[in-house]
C-alpha cells in the first residue's frame, strides 16, 4: 500500500513527538483537507492537530509545553507543517480524546 504525503507527514510528526516526549497518549490528526484552497495551504504544507499526554509536561505552563512540542517537531514547521494545533496535558489533567 502506498502512503501519501499527508500520511507520511503525520507519521513523521508522530515519530518525532514519541521520540522527544514519550507521551502515554498521542493522537495526530491531519486537518489539511479542511483547509483546501486556503492561502496558507498553497505551499503544500499541512494543517495538523496533536493531542498528547506526557509526564514531561507535569508542572509546566502551557507556553512551555507548546515550546517542547515545537522543539520536537523541529524543521517540519518550515518544510511540512503550515499550522499546528496543540493540546498538551500532563497525566491526570484529562483525556486527549
Amino acid at each position: 500500500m502506498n502512503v501519501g504525503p499527508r500520511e507520511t507527514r503525520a507519521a513523521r510528526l508522530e515519530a518525532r513527538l514519541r521520540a522527544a516526549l514519550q507521551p502515554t497518549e498521542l493522537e495526530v490528526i491531519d486537518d489539511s483537507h479542511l483547509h483546501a484552497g486556503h492561502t496558507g495551504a498553497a505551499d503544500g504544507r499541512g494543517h495538523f492537530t496533536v493531542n498528547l499526554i506526557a509526564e514531561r509536561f507535569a508542572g509546566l505552563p502551557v507556553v512551555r509545553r507548546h515550546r517542547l512540542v515545537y522543539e520536537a517537531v523541529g524543521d517540519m514547521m518550515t518544510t511540512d507543517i503550515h499550522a499546528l494545533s496543540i493540546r498538551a496535558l500532563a497525566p491526570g489533567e484529562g483525556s486527549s480524546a
Side-chain angles (χ1 to χ4, degrees):
M1 177 172 114
N2 284 339
V3 177
R6 288 186 185 139
E7 291 79 12
T8 300
R9 284 191 297 232
R12 282 197 318 253
L13 177 56
E14 181 175 341
R16 286 189 183 198
L17 292 170
R18 285 193 188 285
L21 302 170
Q22 291 121 25
T24 56
E25 291 184 39
L26 174 60
E27 178 182 32
V28 175
I29 302 165
D30 186 346
D31 296 320
S32 299
H33 66 284
L34 301 173
H35 301 275
H38 175 261
T39 304
D43 64 4
R45 293 182 297 153
H47 292 69
F48 296 89
T49 296
V50 294
N51 299 308
L52 62 163
I53 297 176
E55 184 64 42
R56 181 68 178 90
F57 298 142
L60 296 179
V62 172
V63 171
R64 182 64 185 130
R65 294 174 188 199
H66 285 212
R67 284 184 186 149
L68 288 171
V69 170
Y70 283 116
E71 288 170 11
V73 171
D75 65 339
M76 286 186 75
M77 287 304 300
T78 59
T79 61
D80 295 277
I81 300 169
H82 172 73
L84 185 63
S85 174
I86 302 167
R87 184 168 183 230
L89 303 173
E93 291 183 334
S95 174
S96 65

